[in-house]
Each structure stands twice: as structure tokens, then as C-alpha cells.
Amino acid sequence: MASERSWRLTLAYDGTAYSGWQVQPAATTIQGTVEEALAVVEGRPVKLTGSGRTDAGVHALAQVASCTLASPIPAHGLIKALNRLLPADIRVTDAGLAPEGFHARHWATAKTYEYRIQRAPICPPFEARFTYWHPYPLDEDAMCVAASRLAGDRDFRSFASSGGDLEESTERSVFSSTLQREADLLVYRVRGSGFLYRMVRNFVGTLLEVGRGNLQPDDIDRILAARNRCEAGPTAPARGLFLASVEYPDQTAAADAARVNSSA
Amino acid sequence: MASERSWRLTLAYDGTAYSGWQVQPAATTIQGTVEEALAVVEGRPVKLTGSGRTDAGVHALAQVASCTLASPIPAHGLIKALNRLLPADIRVTDAGLAPEGFHARHWATAKTYEYRIQRAPICPPFEARFTYWHPYPLDEDAMCVAASRLAGDRDFRSFASSGGDLEESTERSVFSSTLQREADLLVYRVRGSGFLYRMVRNFVGTLLEVGRGNLQPDDIDRILAARNRCEAGPTAPARGLFLASVEYPDQTAAADAARVNSSA
């Protein structure tokens, strides 16, 4: 029997048609769809582990997933084979051998999410699946200030929707949290060690309450201190959310090596 | 009874989910969907006339349509009401009163179509609905030359798919026909007096044959002279095609008036 090799896959997807990442009975999911394609390549069932679950309707620019395969297929062949088997709304954008034992969730050191709020008076139909259309007045400056207040090592329990595991610690490190205008889009970007269930969408829902004047930027500290989901704003719709990138220790190492090589 | 007013509507749509523009029994169409929304506003059935039919899966950046309404609703109210009623993949981007008797098809003086060929090695899932993915080698320079040969006052019967009315004249004026690279996209733009059934997609299918080396730019004249559909290339897929704009005599007049006013 051939020895199995660990793989790291990078996936981009339009999550509109899927019931989220995780395999569920009688539902079409990203994980399930990619596992089916992997099973064709491998000739037997393959278990795929994502860096985290994305909810129904949430998209990914670069989700990372791990699996082991006995197939001796080269990386470019695997990418090509999977993209032929997958529907056009899921693409494998990269694949490479990973260190033995690589686990896309356990090994992740940081994740970045992006949330796109469409501010145009009329939402272009080509962006309807990928933005949350909100043309109504918003104090965007106050939202920017409030966004910055979400960064830090904090207990984010007020921003965790029920459905997640609240027995575990709800402390997380948010390394950066910024909101900025990009033409008609108001883009919220957040990078952190990890995120609680629906935390990013609850951040955005809260920032929208600040934009509407129902909350002030100074309320963010109070909301965090309350450790009570009822204090924060509602959950923003899934369609505006993208998992933008996932970081691993070896990326830093690889980046360092590249830096050394280029300066040599 | 209130007197009816003529309206000119500009529509943008993602055609993926529709069986084209024209109302058909037991099919969801753009025309039918917009007519339903208009009927709600007007309180009775409304007939909508498009500048032309778009096929199943074809998109529009700015389709123009005409109708008459007895409702005294102001333009901004009509835009808002229709966009509330319509699904997110169809938007009314503009509406205005038109001269009495305005007919979106009969009054059109020119139309511009755009066809997007995706050249990236992997098609981003967010563009899969809006581009034709063709990552294989193409002689793009030869395609550019061939594209320019399609301009002129010609008999375009070789580029008309059956299904159109070939009893009518198949002569048309193509004012401009250009192909250019825009990052990962190869974009074909064609502006003409009018287009035969599937003519733009047949142009693109033929340009792709030139790109593959199966035809030479010099073959275009021969294909045109043959007046035979079998001489041209196959029909390119619908998903890459956008109706980009429709021109009317009053636009020139309005543009001239604006120029006079701004220089006054």
C-alpha cells in the first residue's frame, strides 16, 4: 500500500448555493462537494478538514483545507482534476504537499475575513450575491472608529451567536479591525487568531447600529464587558462575508526563506 | 381615465437564471418578470417592449425597454417600486418619460454588445456566471485583426443562427468591432445598427477559431461572401455576453443640449 501524503488545498467559492462548509445530511455543502471530487481522484472516500466552517451563503477567497491522499498525483494534476470535477462556483486555486500531520484548523495561526457593504443607490445585479446592499444613511466615520475598538485580546462572548460551543473560552485575539470605503463598497476587514460562531457578522451588525446612530463607538467597550449577546447588534447577512485568507506558521517560514533568497 | 404616458426603462440583469428576455409559456423570463412588477405598480397588466431579445443566460448592463403607464408615479418612485418588487438579479437602473409613441426596438439606432473571455488558468468562482472561461492557447493578435474585419455594411447571413427570421434582409451595419485584453479578460466589443439571431456569439465563436489557428483573419471576407452559416465558427456560450448599451436619436439630442448648456 502506498504511503499517504498530506495535502494543503486552497479553495475559492461562491457560497450562495451551499448550506455552508460542513457536511450535513440531505444538504449540499462545500466540504461534501469537494470530498466527492477528491473521492473520484483517490478512488475511495477522502476526509477533508477546513480551517473553519463557513456558514450558508458565506464565500471564500482563500479557504484552506487539509487531507491525506495515497494517490501519487502531482500538485498541478490534482488542481486540474479537481477543477474538472467541481462545479464552477468552487475552485481549487492551489494545492501542495504539506508537512506530515498538517491540520488546516489546528495549525492555523490567523484568519482574515472581509465583509462588503454595497452603498450604491441601486445594487448592480452582478454584485447582488457578493455584497450586502445597504444604501441608507450611515455615519461611516463613527463606524470606522467603532471598528478599531474591536481589536485586541478580549473576551468576545457578546459577539458569539448561540450554536457555537460557549463552554469553551470566548477569548480571542483580534489583530486588526478596520473599515474603509472602496468606491461604492464599505469594506470591513478583520484579522484574528480565531473567531467565535458568527462573530464577524455580529461585528458588522453592531457596526451598522453605530452607523445608524443607535450605538456610539464608545459603546463597544461596554458591549464587550457585558459578555452578553443581547448587548451587541444583529447578525449581518451572510452574502457580504468572505473568508479572505488563512495563515500558517510555515507561511512565515516560506516568506522568510524567500526574503533571504532575494537579498542573497 | 388618466392619459397614459410613455416610459423608457433601463435594466441591468444577470441572465443566468432566466430563459432569456422574451415571455414564453412555463418559463421565467426577464420580460415576464419585469412585466409582473409593472403590473403591481399599475394595477393591471402592462406590456413591456425590449430593444431586442437577449437569449437564455445572456446578461445586460443597460437593456432599454418601453411601456406606457396610466399611473402618475414619478420616475424615482417607479425605479424604487420596481426594484423592491424585482429579484436582485434584475435592476431598473434608470426610468424616464419618453416621447409619445416611444418604442424601444423600433427607435433604437445602435446597440453595443460586450463578450468576456476569461483567460486566467483558473476561473474565479465569482466570475463564472459572467465570463466564458477559455484558458487554452489563442493567437490573440490574429483574433484582433479578424475582429476588425467584421466591421462594415455587410450581409451577415453567415453569422445568423437558424431560429431568426431569415426571410428578412440579413444586411446590417457594424460600426465598430474590436477585441482587447483587459487584465485576465479578452473583451470583444461590437457596436452596430442591429444584430441577427446569435450574431455576436457567432462572431465570437469564429474569432475563437481564428485564435486556435483553424481560420485566418483573411477568411472573414470569404465567410461573409459565402452567406452560409456552416462557414463560420460555432456559437460561443451565452454566459460571456452582455448587452452593454442601446442608443436612440434623442440621446444625441440630449447630449448636444447638455453640451450647449455647459458651454453657455
Side-chain angles (χ1 to χ4, degrees):
Chain A
M1 182 182 144
S3 68
E4 299 217 335
R5 301 187 298 173
S6 291
W7 285 90
R8 169 173 156 171
L9 306 182
T10 307
L11 303 164
Y13 47 81
D14 166 0
T16 311
Y18 297 89
S19 302
W21 170 266
Q22 197 178 26
V23 167
Q24 295 170 51
T28 305
T29 66
I30 311 284
Q31 183 190 23
T33 305
V34 181
E35 284 183 347
E36 275 174 39
L38 283 164
V40 172
V41 174
E42 179 77 345
R44 58 175 183 175
V46 174
K47 165 90 179 113
L48 184 71
T49 303
S51 72
R53 305 166 197 171
T54 50
D55 272 347
V58 172
H59 319 290
L61 300 174
Q63 163 77 290
V64 174
S66 53
C67 63
T68 61
L69 299 176
S71 164
I73 193 168
H76 68 270
L78 182 61
I79 296 173
K80 215 164 199 175
L82 291 175
N83 284 333
R84 266 194 203 144
L85 292 161
L86 289 167
D89 52 6
I90 304 179
R91 294 289 89 181
V92 176
T93 59
D94 198 16
L97 290 174
E100 210 189 304
F102 174 67
H103 188 288
R105 189 170 80 250
H106 296 160
W107 289 36
T109 53
K111 279 190 205 171
T112 301
Y113 282 92
E114 193 175 298
Y115 195 98
R116 303 181 186 172
I117 302 168
Q118 174 63 254
R119 301 287 291 145
I122 295 167
C123 183
F126 318 103
E127 295 181 29
R129 299 159 79 88
F130 309 120
T131 57
Y132 169 47
W133 181 59
H134 190 91
Y136 314 106
L138 287 175
D139 182 341
E140 296 183 7
D141 292 337
M143 292 172 74
C144 287
V145 175
S148 70
R149 303 282 171 84
L150 290 164
D153 299 335
R154 318 284 286 265
D155 184 334
F156 289 102
R157 179 176 290 245
S158 293
F159 293 96
S161 289
S162 59
D165 185 355
L166 293 182
E167 299 305 305
E168 279 184 25
S169 163
T170 47
E171 283 176 30
R172 294 290 184 279
S173 297
V174 169
F175 306 131
S176 68
S177 166
T178 60
L179 186 81
Q180 63 184 50
R181 255 295 188 152
E182 298 178 8
D184 278 340
L185 296 181
L186 192 57
V187 182
Y188 175 63
R189 283 193 188 86
V190 61
R191 179 171 169 267
S193 60
F195 294 88
L196 302 168
Y197 187 54
R198 295 201 172 155
M199 181 165 140
V200 182
R201 289 163 62 190
N202 294 336
F203 276 179
V204 174
T206 304
L207 294 177
L208 286 166
E209 286 299 289
V210 172
R212 293 179 187 113
N214 297 333
L215 289 172
Q216 302 303 316
D218 287 341
D219 287 318
I220 298 292
D221 279 332
R222 181 184 55 74
I223 294 167
L224 283 164
R227 303 181 70 249
N228 179 351
R229 175 72 191 95
C230 302
E231 295 294 322
T235 306
R239 82 180 71 89
L241 186 61
F242 290 75
L243 173 54
S245 65
V246 190
E247 294 165 58
Y248 294 92
D250 62 284
Q251 278 190 319
T252 319
D256 286 345
R259 218 170 294 128
V260 167
N261 287 338
S262 69
S263 64
Chain B
M1 183 181 146
S3 66
E4 298 215 338
R5 300 187 298 174
S6 290
W7 285 90
R8 169 172 157 172
L9 307 181
T10 307
L11 303 165
Y13 47 80
D14 166 0
T16 312
Y18 297 89
S19 303
W21 170 265
Q22 197 178 25
V23 166
Q24 295 170 51
T28 304
T29 66
I30 312 283
Q31 182 190 24
T33 305
V34 180
E35 284 184 348
E36 274 174 38
L38 283 164
V40 172
V41 173
E42 180 78 345
R44 57 175 185 177
V46 174
K47 166 89 178 112
L48 184 71
T49 304
S51 72
R53 305 164 196 173
T54 50
D55 272 347
V58 172
H59 318 290
L61 300 173
Q63 163 75 291
V64 175
S66 53
C67 63
T68 60
L69 300 176
S71 164
I73 193 168
H76 69 270
L78 182 61
I79 296 172
K80 216 164 199 173
L82 291 174
N83 283 333
R84 267 195 203 141
L85 293 161
L86 288 167
D89 53 6
I90 305 179
R91 294 289 90 181
V92 176
T93 59
D94 198 16
L97 290 174
E100 211 188 304
F102 174 68
H103 188 287
R105 190 171 79 251
H106 296 160
W107 289 37
T109 54
K111 279 189 206 174
T112 301
Y113 282 92
E114 192 174 300
Y115 195 98
R116 303 181 187 172
I117 301 167
Q118 174 62 253
R119 302 288 291 145
I122 295 167
C123 183
F126 319 103
E127 294 180 28
R129 299 159 77 90
F130 309 120
T131 58
Y132 169 47
W133 181 59
H134 190 92
Y136 314 107
L138 288 175
D139 182 342
E140 297 184 6
D141 291 337
M143 292 172 74
C144 287
V145 174
S148 69
R149 303 281 170 86
L150 290 164
D153 299 336
R154 317 286 284 266
D155 184 335
F156 288 102
R157 180 176 288 246
S158 293
F159 294 96
S161 289
S162 59
D165 184 356
L166 292 182
E167 298 305 306
E168 280 185 22
S169 163
T170 47
E171 284 177 30
R172 295 289 186 278
S173 297
V174 170
F175 306 130
S176 68
S177 167
T178 59
L179 185 80
Q180 63 184 50
R181 254 295 188 154
E182 298 178 9
D184 279 339
L185 296 181
L186 193 56
V187 183
Y188 175 63
R189 283 193 187 86
V190 60
R191 179 171 168 268
S193 60
F195 294 88
L196 301 169
Y197 188 53
R198 295 201 172 154
M199 180 165 141
V200 181
R201 289 163 62 190
N202 293 337
F203 278 178
V204 174
T206 305
L207 294 177
L208 286 166
E209 285 300 289
V210 172
R212 292 179 189 113
N214 298 334
L215 290 172
Q216 303 302 316
D218 287 341
D219 288 318
I220 298 291
D221 280 333
R222 180 184 57 74
I223 294 168
L224 284 164
R227 302 180 72 246
N228 179 350
R229 176 73 191 92
C230 302
E231 296 294 322
T235 307
R239 79 179 75 88
L241 186 60
F242 290 75
L243 171 55
S245 64
V246 189
E247 295 166 57
Y248 294 92
D250 61 284
Q251 278 190 320
T252 320
D256 286 345
R259 219 170 295 127
V260 168
N261 286 338
S262 69
S263 64

